[in-house]
Coordinates of all heavy atoms in Angstrom, one line a residue:
M1 N 0.8 -1.2 0.0 CA 0.0 0.0 0.0 C 0.9 1.2 0.0 O 2.0 1.2 0.4 CB -0.9 0.0 1.2 CG -1.9 -1.2 1.2 SD -3.3 -1.1 2.3 CE -4.5 -0.3 1.2
I2 N 0.3 2.3 -0.4 CA 1.0 3.6 -0.4 C 0.7 4.2 1.0 O -0.4 4.2 1.4 CB 0.5 4.5 -1.5 CG1 0.8 3.9 -2.9 CG2 1.1 5.9 -1.3 CD1 0.1 4.6 -4.0
V3 N 1.8 4.6 1.7 CA 1.6 5.2 3.0 C 1.9 6.7 3.0 O 3.0 7.1 2.6 CB 2.6 4.5 4.0 CG1 2.4 5.1 5.4 CG2 2.3 3.0 4.1
I4 N 0.9 7.5 3.3 CA 1.1 8.9 3.4 C 1.2 9.3 4.9 O 0.4 8.8 5.7 CB -0.1 9.6 2.7 CG1 -0.2 9.2 1.3 CG2 -0.1 11.1 2.9 CD1 -1.5 9.7 0.6
G5 N 2.1 10.2 5.2 CA 2.3 10.6 6.6 C 3.2 9.7 7.4 O 3.2 9.8 8.6
A6 N 4.0 8.9 6.7 CA 5.0 8.0 7.4 C 6.0 8.9 8.2 O 6.6 8.3 9.2 CB 5.7 7.1 6.5
S7 N 6.1 10.1 7.9 CA 7.1 11.0 8.7 C 6.6 11.1 10.1 O 7.5 11.3 11.0 CB 7.2 12.4 8.0 OG 5.9 13.0 8.0
A8 N 5.3 11.0 10.4 CA 4.8 11.0 11.8 C 5.4 9.8 12.6 O 5.7 10.0 13.8 CB 3.3 11.0 11.8
L9 N 5.5 8.7 11.9 CA 6.1 7.5 12.6 C 7.6 7.8 12.9 O 8.0 7.5 14.0 CB 6.0 6.3 11.7 CG 4.6 5.8 11.4 CD1 4.7 4.6 10.4 CD2 3.8 5.4 12.6
A10 N 8.3 8.3 11.9 CA 9.7 8.6 12.1 C 9.9 9.6 13.2 O 10.8 9.5 14.1 CB 10.3 9.0 10.8
E11 N 9.1 10.7 13.2 CA 9.3 11.8 14.2 C 9.0 11.2 15.6 O 9.7 11.6 16.5 CB 8.3 12.9 13.9 CG 8.8 13.7 12.6 CD 7.7 14.7 12.1 OE1 6.7 14.9 12.8 OE2 7.9 15.2 11.0
Y12 N 8.0 10.4 15.7 CA 7.7 9.9 17.1 C 8.8 9.0 17.5 O 9.2 9.0 18.7 CB 6.3 9.2 17.1 CG 5.9 8.8 18.4 CD1 5.0 9.7 19.1 CD2 6.3 7.6 19.1 CE1 4.6 9.3 20.4 CE2 5.9 7.3 20.3 CZ 5.0 8.2 21.0 OH 4.6 7.9 22.3
G13 N 9.3 8.1 16.6 CA 10.4 7.2 16.9 C 11.6 7.9 17.3 O 12.4 7.5 18.2
E14 N 11.9 9.1 16.7 CA 13.1 9.9 17.1 C 12.9 10.5 18.5 O 13.9 10.6 19.2 CB 13.4 11.0 16.0 CG 13.9 10.4 14.7 CD 13.9 11.5 13.6 OE1 13.8 12.7 13.9 OE2 14.1 11.1 12.5
A15 N 11.7 10.9 18.8 CA 11.5 11.5 20.1 C 11.3 10.5 21.2 O 11.5 10.8 22.4 CB 10.2 12.4 20.0
H16 N 11.0 9.2 20.9 CA 10.8 8.2 21.8 C 11.6 7.0 21.4 O 11.1 6.1 20.7 CB 9.3 7.8 22.0 CG 8.5 9.0 22.4 ND1 8.0 9.9 21.4 CD2 8.1 9.5 23.6 CE1 7.3 10.8 22.1 NE2 7.3 10.6 23.4
A17 N 12.8 6.9 21.8 CA 13.7 5.8 21.3 C 13.2 4.4 21.4 O 13.4 3.6 20.6 CB 15.1 6.0 22.0
Q18 N 12.4 4.1 22.5 CA 11.9 2.8 22.7 C 10.9 2.4 21.6 O 10.7 1.2 21.4 CB 11.3 2.6 24.1 CG 9.8 3.2 24.2 CD 9.7 4.7 24.3 OE1 10.7 5.4 24.3 NE2 8.5 5.2 24.4
A19 N 10.4 3.3 20.9 CA 9.4 3.0 19.9 C 9.9 3.0 18.5 O 9.3 2.5 17.6 CB 8.2 4.1 20.0
G20 N 11.1 3.5 18.3 CA 11.7 3.7 17.0 C 11.7 2.4 16.1 O 11.2 2.4 15.0
S21 N 12.3 1.3 16.6 CA 12.4 0.1 15.7 C 11.0 -0.5 15.5 O 10.7 -0.9 14.4 CB 13.3 -0.9 16.4 OG 12.8 -1.3 17.6
A22 N 10.1 -0.4 16.4 CA 8.7 -1.0 16.2 C 8.0 -0.2 15.2 O 7.2 -0.7 14.3 CB 8.0 -1.0 17.5
L23 N 8.1 1.2 15.2 CA 7.4 2.0 14.2 C 8.0 1.9 12.8 O 7.3 1.9 11.9 CB 7.4 3.5 14.7 CG 6.6 3.7 16.0 CD1 6.7 5.2 16.4 CD2 5.2 3.3 15.8
R24 N 9.3 1.6 12.7 CA 9.9 1.3 11.4 C 9.4 0.0 10.9 O 9.1 -0.1 9.7 CB 11.5 1.3 11.5 CG 12.1 2.7 11.6 CD 13.6 2.7 11.5 NE 14.3 1.9 12.6 CZ 14.5 2.4 13.8 NH1 14.2 3.7 14.1 NH2 15.1 1.7 14.7
A25 N 9.2 -1.0 11.8 CA 8.7 -2.2 11.3 C 7.2 -2.1 10.9 O 6.8 -2.7 9.9 CB 8.8 -3.3 12.5
L26 N 6.5 -1.3 11.7 CA 5.1 -1.0 11.3 C 5.0 -0.4 9.9 O 4.2 -0.7 9.1 CB 4.4 -0.2 12.4 CG 3.0 0.2 12.0 CD1 2.0 -1.0 11.9 CD2 2.4 1.2 13.1
N27 N 5.9 0.6 9.7 CA 5.9 1.3 8.4 C 6.1 0.3 7.3 O 5.4 0.3 6.2 CB 6.9 2.4 8.4 CG 6.9 3.2 7.1 OD1 5.9 3.3 6.4 ND2 8.0 3.9 6.8
A28 N 7.1 -0.6 7.5 CA 7.3 -1.7 6.5 C 6.1 -2.6 6.3 O 5.8 -2.9 5.1 CB 8.6 -2.5 6.9
L29 N 5.5 -3.0 7.4 CA 4.3 -3.8 7.3 C 3.2 -3.1 6.5 O 2.6 -3.7 5.6 CB 3.8 -4.2 8.7 CG 2.5 -5.0 8.7 CD1 2.7 -6.2 9.6 CD2 1.3 -4.2 9.1
L30 N 3.0 -1.9 6.8 CA 1.9 -1.1 6.1 C 2.2 -1.0 4.6 O 1.3 -1.1 3.8 CB 1.7 0.3 6.7 CG 1.2 0.3 8.1 CD1 1.2 1.8 8.7 CD2 -0.2 -0.3 8.3
R31 N 3.5 -0.8 4.2 CA 3.9 -0.6 2.8 C 3.7 -2.0 2.1 O 3.4 -2.0 0.9 CB 5.3 -0.1 2.7 CG 5.4 1.4 3.1 CD 6.8 1.9 3.0 NE 6.9 3.2 3.5 CZ 6.5 4.3 2.9 NH1 6.0 4.2 1.7 NH2 6.6 5.5 3.5
Q32 N 3.9 -3.1 2.8 CA 3.8 -4.4 2.1 C 2.4 -4.9 2.1 O 2.1 -5.9 1.4 CB 4.7 -5.4 2.9 CG 6.2 -5.1 2.7 CD 7.1 -6.0 3.5 OE1 6.6 -6.8 4.3 NE2 8.4 -5.8 3.4
A33 N 1.5 -4.3 2.9 CA 0.2 -4.8 2.9 C -0.5 -4.7 1.6 O -0.2 -3.8 0.8 CB -0.6 -4.1 4.0
S34 N -1.5 -5.5 1.4 CA -2.3 -5.5 0.2 C -3.8 -5.7 0.5 O -4.5 -6.4 -0.2 CB -1.8 -6.5 -0.9 OG -1.9 -7.8 -0.3
W35 N -4.2 -5.0 1.6 CA -5.6 -5.2 2.0 C -6.5 -4.6 1.0 O -6.4 -3.5 0.5 CB -5.8 -4.5 3.3 CG -4.9 -5.0 4.4 CD1 -4.7 -6.3 4.8 CD2 -4.1 -4.2 5.3 NE1 -3.8 -6.3 5.8 CE2 -3.4 -5.1 6.2 CE3 -3.9 -2.8 5.5 CZ2 -2.6 -4.6 7.2 CZ3 -3.1 -2.4 6.5 CH2 -2.4 -3.3 7.3
R36 N -7.6 -5.3 0.6 CA -8.6 -4.9 -0.3 C -9.9 -4.6 0.4 O -10.8 -4.0 -0.1 CB -8.8 -5.9 -1.4 CG -7.6 -6.2 -2.2 CD -7.9 -6.0 -3.6 NE -6.7 -6.3 -4.4 CZ -6.0 -5.4 -5.0 NH1 -6.3 -4.1 -4.9 NH2 -5.0 -5.7 -5.8
A37 N -10.0 -5.0 1.7 CA -11.2 -4.8 2.5 C -10.8 -4.8 4.0 O -9.8 -5.3 4.4 CB -12.2 -5.9 2.2
R38 N -11.8 -4.2 4.7 CA -11.6 -4.1 6.2 C -11.3 -5.5 6.8 O -10.5 -5.6 7.8 CB -12.8 -3.4 6.7 CG -12.8 -3.2 8.2 CD -14.1 -2.6 8.6 NE -14.3 -2.8 10.0 CZ -15.0 -2.0 10.8 NH1 -15.7 -1.0 10.3 NH2 -15.1 -2.2 12.1
D39 N -12.0 -6.5 6.4 CA -11.9 -7.8 7.0 C -10.4 -8.4 6.8 O -9.9 -9.1 7.7 CB -12.9 -8.8 6.6 CG -12.9 -9.1 5.1 OD1 -12.5 -8.2 4.3 OD2 -13.2 -10.2 4.7
E40 N -9.8 -8.0 5.8 CA -8.4 -8.5 5.5 C -7.5 -7.7 6.5 O -6.6 -8.4 7.1 CB -8.0 -8.2 4.1 CG -8.7 -9.0 3.1 CD -8.3 -8.7 1.7 OE1 -7.5 -7.8 1.4 OE2 -8.9 -9.4 0.8
L41 N -7.7 -6.5 6.7 CA -6.9 -5.7 7.7 C -7.2 -6.3 9.1 O -6.2 -6.5 9.9 CB -7.3 -4.2 7.7 CG -6.4 -3.3 8.5 CD1 -6.5 -1.9 7.9 CD2 -6.8 -3.2 9.9
A42 N -8.4 -6.6 9.4 CA -8.7 -7.2 10.7 C -8.1 -8.5 10.9 O -7.6 -8.8 12.0 CB -10.3 -7.3 10.9
R43 N -8.0 -9.3 9.9 CA -7.3 -10.6 10.0 C -5.9 -10.5 10.3 O -5.3 -11.2 11.2 CB -7.5 -11.3 8.6 CG -6.8 -12.7 8.6 CD -6.6 -13.2 7.2 NE -5.7 -12.3 6.4 CZ -5.8 -11.9 5.2 NH1 -6.9 -12.3 4.5 NH2 -5.0 -11.1 4.6
D44 N -5.2 -9.5 9.7 CA -3.8 -9.3 10.0 C -3.4 -8.5 11.2 O -2.4 -8.8 11.8 CB -3.1 -8.6 8.8 CG -3.1 -9.5 7.5 OD1 -3.3 -10.7 7.6 OD2 -2.8 -8.9 6.4
C45 N -4.3 -7.6 11.6 CA -4.0 -6.7 12.7 C -5.0 -6.7 13.8 O -5.0 -5.8 14.7 CB -3.8 -5.3 12.2 SG -2.6 -5.1 11.0
G46 N -6.0 -7.6 13.8 CA -7.1 -7.6 14.7 C -6.8 -7.5 16.2 O -7.5 -7.0 17.0
A47 N -5.6 -8.1 16.5 CA -5.2 -8.2 18.0 C -4.9 -6.8 18.5 O -5.1 -6.5 19.7 CB -4.1 -9.1 18.2
V48 N -4.5 -5.9 17.7 CA -4.1 -4.5 18.1 C -4.9 -3.4 17.5 O -4.8 -2.3 17.8 CB -2.6 -4.2 17.9 CG1 -1.7 -5.2 18.7 CG2 -2.3 -4.3 16.4
A49 N -5.8 -3.8 16.5 CA -6.6 -2.8 15.8 C -7.9 -2.5 16.4 O -8.6 -3.4 16.9 CB -6.8 -3.2 14.4
R50 N -8.3 -1.3 16.5 CA -9.6 -0.8 16.9 C -10.2 0.0 15.7 O -9.6 1.0 15.3 CB -9.6 0.0 18.1 CG -10.9 0.5 18.6 CD -10.9 1.1 20.0 NE -9.9 2.2 20.1 CZ -10.1 3.5 19.8 NH1 -11.3 3.8 19.4 NH2 -9.2 4.4 19.9
F51 N -11.3 -0.5 15.2 CA -11.9 0.2 14.0 C -12.8 1.4 14.6 O -13.8 1.1 15.2 CB -12.7 -0.7 13.2 CG -11.8 -1.7 12.5 CD1 -11.5 -2.9 13.1 CD2 -11.2 -1.4 11.2 CE1 -10.6 -3.8 12.5 CE2 -10.4 -2.3 10.6 CZ -10.1 -3.5 11.2
V52 N -12.4 2.6 14.2 CA -13.1 3.8 14.7 C -14.3 4.1 13.8 O -15.4 4.5 14.2 CB -12.2 5.0 14.8 CG1 -12.9 6.2 15.2 CG2 -11.0 4.6 15.7
S53 N -14.1 3.8 12.5 CA -15.2 3.9 11.5 C -14.9 3.0 10.4 O -13.9 2.2 10.5 CB -15.3 5.4 11.0 OG -14.2 5.7 10.2
A54 N -15.6 3.1 9.3 CA -15.4 2.1 8.1 C -14.0 2.2 7.6 O -13.4 1.2 7.2 CB -16.4 2.4 7.0
D55 N -13.4 3.4 7.7 CA -12.0 3.5 7.1 C -11.0 4.0 8.1 O -9.8 4.2 7.7 CB -12.0 4.5 5.9 CG -12.3 5.9 6.2 OD1 -12.9 6.2 7.3 OD2 -12.0 6.8 5.4
A56 N -11.4 4.3 9.3 CA -10.4 4.8 10.3 C -10.1 3.7 11.3 O -10.9 3.0 11.8 CB -11.0 6.0 11.1
V57 N -8.7 3.6 11.6 CA -8.2 2.5 12.4 C -7.3 3.1 13.4 O -6.5 4.0 13.1 CB -7.5 1.4 11.6 CG1 -7.0 0.3 12.4 CG2 -8.4 0.9 10.5
A58 N -7.3 2.6 14.6 CA -6.3 2.9 15.6 C -5.6 1.6 16.1 O -6.2 0.7 16.4 CB -6.9 3.6 16.8
L59 N -4.3 1.6 15.9 CA -3.5 0.5 16.4 C -2.8 0.8 17.7 O -2.1 1.7 17.8 CB -2.4 0.1 15.4 CG -2.7 -0.3 14.0 CD1 -1.5 -0.5 13.2 CD2 -3.6 -1.5 14.0
A60 N -3.2 0.0 18.8 CA -2.6 0.2 20.1 C -1.4 -0.6 20.2 O -1.4 -1.9 19.9 CB -3.6 -0.2 21.2
L61 N -0.2 0.0 20.5 CA 1.0 -0.7 20.6 C 1.6 -0.6 22.0 O 2.5 0.2 22.2 CB 2.0 -0.2 19.5 CG 1.5 -0.2 18.1 CD1 2.5 0.5 17.2 CD2 1.3 -1.6 17.6
P62 N 1.0 -1.2 23.0 CA 1.4 -1.0 24.4 C 2.8 -1.4 24.7 O 3.4 -0.8 25.5 CB 0.4 -1.9 25.2 CG -0.2 -2.9 24.2 CD -0.1 -2.2 22.8
H63 N 3.4 -2.3 23.9 CA 4.8 -2.7 24.2 C 5.8 -1.6 23.8 O 6.9 -1.6 24.3 CB 5.1 -4.0 23.4 CG 5.0 -3.9 21.9 ND1 3.8 -3.8 21.3 CD2 6.0 -3.8 21.0 CE1 4.1 -3.7 20.0 NE2 5.4 -3.7 19.8
V64 N 5.3 -0.6 23.0 CA 6.2 0.5 22.8 C 5.6 1.8 23.3 O 6.2 2.9 23.2 CB 6.6 0.7 21.3 CG1 7.4 -0.5 20.8 CG2 5.3 0.8 20.4
G65 N 4.4 1.7 23.8 CA 3.8 2.9 24.5 C 3.1 3.9 23.6 O 3.0 5.1 24.0
C66 N 2.6 3.5 22.4 CA 2.0 4.5 21.6 C 0.8 3.8 20.8 O 0.6 2.6 20.8 CB 3.0 5.1 20.6 SG 3.6 4.0 19.4
S67 N 0.1 4.7 20.2 CA -1.0 4.3 19.3 C -0.9 5.0 18.0 O -0.4 6.2 18.0 CB -2.4 4.8 20.0 OG -3.4 4.5 19.1
V68 N -1.2 4.3 16.9 CA -1.1 4.9 15.6 C -2.4 4.9 15.0 O -3.1 3.9 14.8 CB -0.1 4.1 14.7 CG1 0.0 4.7 13.3 CG2 1.3 4.0 15.3
A69 N -2.9 6.1 14.6 CA -4.2 6.2 13.9 C -4.0 6.5 12.4 O -3.1 7.2 12.1 CB -5.0 7.4 14.6
F70 N -4.8 5.8 11.6 CA -4.7 6.0 10.2 C -6.1 5.8 9.5 O -7.0 5.2 10.1 CB -3.6 5.2 9.6 CG -3.8 3.7 9.8 CD1 -4.5 2.9 8.8 CD2 -3.2 3.0 10.8 CE1 -4.6 1.5 9.0 CE2 -3.3 1.7 11.0 CZ -4.0 0.9 10.1
R71 N -6.2 6.3 8.3 CA -7.4 6.0 7.5 C -6.9 5.2 6.3 O -5.8 5.3 5.8 CB -8.0 7.3 7.0 CG -8.6 8.1 8.2 CD -9.2 9.4 7.7 NE -10.6 9.7 7.8 CZ -11.5 9.3 8.7 NH1 -11.1 8.4 9.7 NH2 -12.7 9.6 8.7
V72 N -7.8 4.3 5.8 CA -7.4 3.4 4.7 C -8.4 3.6 3.6 O -9.6 3.6 3.8 CB -7.5 2.0 5.2 CG1 -7.1 1.0 4.0 CG2 -6.7 1.7 6.4
N73 N -7.9 3.8 2.4 CA -8.7 3.8 1.2 C -8.4 2.5 0.5 O -7.3 2.3 -0.2 CB -8.4 5.0 0.2 CG -9.3 5.0 -1.0 OD1 -9.6 4.0 -1.6 ND2 -9.7 6.2 -1.3
F74 N -9.2 1.5 0.7 CA -9.0 0.1 0.2 C -9.0 0.1 -1.3 O -8.2 -0.6 -1.9 CB -10.0 -0.8 0.8 CG -9.9 -1.0 2.2 CD1 -10.8 -0.5 3.1 CD2 -8.8 -1.8 2.8 CE1 -10.7 -0.6 4.5 CE2 -8.7 -2.0 4.2 CZ -9.7 -1.4 5.0
E75 N -9.8 0.9 -2.0 CA -9.9 0.9 -3.4 C -8.6 1.4 -4.1 O -8.1 0.8 -5.0 CB -11.0 1.8 -3.9 CG -12.4 1.1 -4.0 CD -13.4 2.1 -4.6 OE1 -13.1 2.8 -5.5 OE2 -14.5 2.0 -4.1
L76 N -8.0 2.4 -3.5 CA -6.8 3.0 -4.1 C -5.5 2.4 -3.5 O -4.4 2.6 -4.0 CB -6.8 4.5 -3.8 CG -7.9 5.3 -4.5 CD1 -7.8 6.8 -4.2 CD2 -7.9 5.1 -6.0
G77 N -5.7 1.7 -2.4 CA -4.5 1.1 -1.7 C -3.6 2.1 -1.0 O -2.4 2.1 -1.1
V78 N -4.3 3.0 -0.3 CA -3.6 4.1 0.3 C -4.0 4.2 1.8 O -5.1 4.1 2.2 CB -4.0 5.5 -0.3 CG1 -3.4 6.7 0.4 CG2 -3.6 5.6 -1.8
I79 N -2.9 4.3 2.6 CA -3.1 4.5 4.1 C -2.6 5.9 4.4 O -1.5 6.3 4.0 CB -2.2 3.5 4.8 CG1 -2.8 2.1 4.6 CG2 -2.2 3.9 6.3 CD1 -1.9 1.0 5.2
R80 N -3.3 6.7 5.1 CA -2.9 8.0 5.5 C -2.8 8.0 7.1 O -3.8 8.0 7.8 CB -3.9 9.1 5.1 CG -3.5 10.5 5.5 CD -4.3 11.6 4.9 NE -5.7 11.4 5.0 CZ -6.5 11.9 6.0 NH1 -5.9 12.5 7.0 NH2 -7.8 11.6 6.1
I81 N -1.6 8.1 7.6 CA -1.4 8.2 9.0 C -1.8 9.5 9.5 O -1.4 10.6 9.0 CB 0.1 7.9 9.3 CG1 0.4 6.5 8.9 CG2 0.3 8.1 10.8 CD1 1.8 6.1 9.0
T82 N -2.7 9.5 10.5 CA -3.3 10.8 11.0 C -2.7 11.2 12.3 O -2.7 12.4 12.7 CB -4.8 10.7 11.1 OG1 -5.2 9.6 11.9 CG2 -5.4 10.6 9.7
A83 N -2.2 10.2 13.1 CA -1.6 10.6 14.4 C -0.8 9.4 15.0 O -1.1 8.3 14.8 CB -2.7 10.9 15.4
V84 N 0.2 9.8 15.7 CA 1.0 8.8 16.6 C 1.0 9.5 18.0 O 1.5 10.6 18.1 CB 2.4 8.6 16.1 CG1 3.1 7.6 16.9 CG2 2.4 8.2 14.6
T85 N 0.4 8.8 18.9 CA 0.3 9.4 20.2 C 0.7 8.4 21.3 O 0.6 7.2 21.2 CB -1.2 9.9 20.5 OG1 -2.1 8.7 20.4 CG2 -1.6 11.0 19.6
A86 N 1.1 9.0 22.5 CA 1.5 8.1 23.6 C 0.2 7.5 24.2 O -0.8 8.1 24.2 CB 2.2 9.0 24.7
L87 N 0.3 6.3 24.6 CA -0.8 5.6 25.3 C -0.8 6.0 26.8 O 0.3 6.1 27.4 CB -0.6 4.1 25.2 CG -0.9 3.4 23.9 CD1 -0.6 1.9 24.0 CD2 -2.3 3.6 23.4
N88 N -2.0 6.2 27.3 CA -2.0 6.4 28.8 C -2.3 5.0 29.4 O -2.4 4.0 28.7 CB -3.1 7.4 29.1 CG -4.5 7.0 28.7 OD1 -4.8 5.8 28.7 ND2 -5.3 7.9 28.2
E89 N -2.2 4.9 30.7 CA -2.3 3.6 31.4 C -3.6 2.9 31.0 O -3.6 1.7 30.8 CB -2.3 3.8 32.9 CG -0.9 4.0 33.4 CD -0.9 4.1 34.9 OE1 -1.6 3.3 35.5 OE2 -0.1 4.9 35.4
E90 N -4.7 3.6 30.8 CA -6.0 2.9 30.5 C -6.0 2.3 29.1 O -6.5 1.3 28.9 CB -7.1 4.0 30.6 CG -8.5 3.4 30.5 CD -9.5 4.4 30.8 OE1 -9.5 5.0 31.9 OE2 -10.4 4.6 29.9
D91 N -5.3 3.0 28.1 CA -5.3 2.5 26.8 C -4.4 1.3 26.7 O -4.6 0.5 25.8 CB -4.7 3.6 25.8 CG -5.6 4.8 25.7 OD1 -6.8 4.6 25.8 OD2 -5.0 5.9 25.4
A92 N -3.4 1.2 27.5 CA -2.4 0.1 27.4 C -3.0 -1.2 27.9 O -2.4 -2.3 27.7 CB -1.2 0.5 28.2
R93 N -4.1 -1.2 28.5 CA -4.7 -2.5 29.1 C -5.4 -3.3 28.0 O -5.8 -2.9 27.0 CB -5.7 -2.2 30.1 CG -5.0 -1.6 31.4 CD -6.0 -1.4 32.4 NE -5.5 -0.3 33.3 CZ -6.1 0.3 34.2 NH1 -7.4 0.1 34.4 NH2 -5.5 1.2 34.9

């Protein structure tokens, strides 16, 4: 897939060293993905994915202490990263 906004992953990783390698791996995973529908994304990422709407997803990554929010256009094969934020204690559970 085409990933727009990957710089947000890099910036967060630079500011939070413990998250850097995991976010680089996530970027690679998103670029290699070929999801054509929401159920395919759920199959691959369901353990950490929370679907906010039909095209909006939040991935909780408690092992690195952050959450990555993005929108997916399955037809065009485009992911737009909208936010990378620190998880609070409640989100990490």
